[in-house]
Amino acid sequence: MTREWNDRIDLRSDTVTLPDEEMRRAMAEAEVGDDLYGEDPTVRLLEEESAAAVGMEAALFVPSGTMGNEIALHLHGSPGEEVICEALSHVYVSEMGAMAALSGLLPRTIPAPGGLLDPMAVEAAVVTDGGYHSRTAVITVENTHNFGGGTVYGRPHLERILAVAERHGVPTHCDGARIFNAAVALGTSAAVLAAGFTSLMFCLSKGLGAPVGSLLCGSRDFIREARRMRKMFGGGMRQAGVIAAAGLVALRKGPARLPGDHEKAARLGRALAEIPGIVIDPASVQTNIVVFRVEPELVGGTVPPEGTAAAFLARLGEAGVLGGQIDATRARLVTHRDVSGERIDEAIERIRAVVGVAVN
Ligand SMILES: *Cc1c(COP(=O)(O)O)cnc(C)c1O
C-alpha cells in the first residue's frame, strides 16, 4: 500500500523543515534595504549576531552553504593547489565539483571512518615545498560530518588538526553546516568549536529551521574579500532582509531545539539496531543523523542491481518513510523539527512492518 503524500514522514534531510509562524511574521515585518549598498539592517544584524555566535570578527550572509564553502576555498587557494578534505566530505562529493570548476583547486581526499580526519594522515598529506607537487591551499574539516553519520569532532581532536595547519602555515576551513548540532552534542558552544579556524560556514537552513541561507564567518579582512567573491559568484542579494529575518529567528531559537532532534535520532538508532539485517551501532548516533547498512536479507536475500540501500529505501518510501542513500549499502535518516517524537515512533513501526518484524 502506498501512503498518501501528506501522511509521509520525511527523514531525507533537516533541510525539509518549513518556516514556522514566528519566521513568517518576522519575514513580513522585516526592515529591508539594498544589501549591495550595505543598507539592509536585517541582514547586517544577522551577520553581526552570526559572527558573535561563532566567536569570529565578521560574517557574510550567503544563499547556500555550498556558496559559503566555495567562496572560502576560492579565497584560501590558487589554481593548481590542493584542498585537504575527507573522502566523503560535502565539499568533495556534494558541491558539483565546484572547487575545481570555479577555483581550479584539486581535492586531496583522505578517507576516515565516520568522516573524522586523523591528524597524522593530514600531516602526511600536507605539501608545502611545491617543487613538483601541488601545494596545500587549505585543510578542511566537516563538523558535524554529514555522510559520516552526524559525527562530531571534539575540541582536542580539532586542536591536533589545527596544530598541523599552524606548523605548516596553512589556512583552515570548517564546514560547520551543522556546527550547532556539534556544540549541543558536546555540551559546548559553537564559538569553542570554531576557535582557531581561518573560516567557518554554518547553515541556517538545516536543523536551525530557516527556509534559506548560510553564513560564512572569519576575520574582517577575510569577509571583505568574501563579499567581493559573493558578487562574482552571483550571490549578491538585494532586499535580502526578508529571508535574513527568518534566519535571525532560526539563529536565536534554533539551537535550543536541537537536543530534541538528537534524542529522536538516538531513539531511531536504537530501534534500527534491533532489526535483523540493519547494521548500526546505536552509540554512533551522536547528533540528528542516523546512518546504517542494509544487508541483503532485508531486501529478499539477494543483492539487487541498484544495491541494498536503494532497494530498502524504495520499500520504506512505499510505507511513507522517506530517507536518503549514501552509497550502495548505506542509507541515511535525519531528524528535524517538523517530525515529532510521536511521528518518529510511527516511522519505527512502519519500518518494522516493512521488514516483517512483529510490532510489540
Ligand atoms: C547541507 C550542507 C552544506 C550546504 O548545502 P547547501 O544545500 O548548499 O546549503 C554544506 N556542508 C554540509 C556538510 C552540509 O550538510
Side-chain angles (χ1 to χ4, degrees):
M1 174 193 59
T2 301
R3 299 252 172 188
E4 294 299 323
W5 176 261
N6 61 6
D7 188 36
R8 61 189 200 159
I9 302 171
D10 194 346
L11 302 173
R12 285 173 301 173
S13 176
D14 45 7
T15 57
V16 301
T17 56
L18 302 178
D20 60 24
E21 272 308 307
E22 190 179 355
M23 289 176 188
R24 296 271 191 184
R25 208 171 332 110
M27 293 171 82
E29 293 168 2
E31 222 187 305
V32 298
D34 191 324
D35 184 52
L36 291 192
Y37 292 109
E39 291 176 1
D40 190 302
T42 309
V43 170
R44 287 191 148 200
L45 188 58
L46 174 63
E47 290 176 342
E48 275 166 30
E49 289 195 20
S50 296
V54 299
M56 288 184 162
E57 278 179 9
L60 180 71
F61 188 40
V62 287
S64 70
T66 297
M67 187 181 286
N69 280 337
E70 294 301 330
I71 289 172
L73 299 184
H74 189 92
L75 291 175
H76 291 316
S78 301
E81 293 185 340
E82 288 184 346
V83 174
I84 291 183
C85 53
E86 201 278 325
L88 284 179
S89 61
H90 197 279
V91 290
Y92 179 52
V93 301
S94 300
E95 300 190 359
M96 312 294 293
M99 72 169 80
L102 302 179
S103 305
L105 294 165
L106 275 78
R108 173 74 172 257
T109 58
I110 301 175
L116 305 184
L117 290 169
D118 173 356
M120 286 203 306
V122 175
E123 171 78 49
V126 171
V127 177
T128 49
D129 68 14
Y132 285 91
H133 307 294
S134 166
R135 199 161 55 184
T136 302
V138 55
I139 296 168
T140 67
V141 302
E142 189 173 308
N143 199 11
T144 68
H145 196 290
N146 184 345
F147 295 145
T151 45
V152 175
Y153 280 97
R155 189 65 210 172
H157 192 159
L158 294 174
E159 296 282 357
R160 292 179 60 207
I161 292 174
L162 290 167
V164 173
E166 172 100 20
R167 191 153 54 244
H168 296 287
V170 172
T172 48
H173 175 70
C174 177
D175 177 347
R178 296 185 181 80
I179 195 70
F180 291 95
N181 293 86
V184 162
L186 293 167
T188 186
S189 68
V192 163
L193 298 178
F197 282 89
T198 319
S199 56
L200 175 141
M201 183 283 294
F202 75 85
C203 293
L204 298 166
S205 57
K206 300 276 165 81
L208 300 186
V212 181
S214 297
L215 276 300
L216 177 59
C217 310
S219 70
R220 243 181 280 287
D221 288 345
F222 176 81
I223 293 302
R224 191 178 310 114
E225 288 304 300
R227 201 174 291 282
R228 294 178 56 244
M229 288 318 309
R230 182 185 65 175
K231 187 77 176 86
M232 190 189 284
F233 283 179
M237 299 178 285
R238 301 294 181 171
Q239 286 73 28
V242 171
I243 50 174
L248 271 168
V249 175
L251 182 65
R252 291 169 182 168
K253 304 275 177 76
R257 281 192 290 248
L258 296 178
D261 291 350
H262 295 185
E263 194 279 321
K264 286 178 280 185
R267 188 152 20 128
L268 195 51
R270 286 193 298 272
L272 291 174
E274 285 175 9
I275 296 176
I278 289 183
V279 181
I280 179 174
D281 172 6
S284 72
V285 180
Q286 296 176 275
T287 56
N288 69 325
I289 298 178
V290 182
V291 169
F292 56 93
R293 203 171 75 234
V294 180
E295 297 287 295
E297 65 181 282
L298 269 188
V299 289
T302 52
V303 178
E306 70 271 31
T308 55
F312 184 58
L313 286 166
R315 293 182 58 195
L316 288 192
E318 282 166 22
V321 178
L322 306 191
Q325 191 184 344
I326 293 198
D327 55 28
T329 63
R330 286 183 306 157
R332 184 188 81 158
L333 301 175
V334 185
T335 60
H336 53 80
R337 191 191 61 198
D338 287 1
V339 173
S340 66
E342 293 86 73
R343 293 291 278 172
I344 291 294
D345 290 337
E346 166 74 19
I348 291 168
E349 279 187 32
R350 290 185 193 181
I351 294 168
R352 285 183 180 145
V354 161
V355 301
V357 172
V359 180
N360 51 9

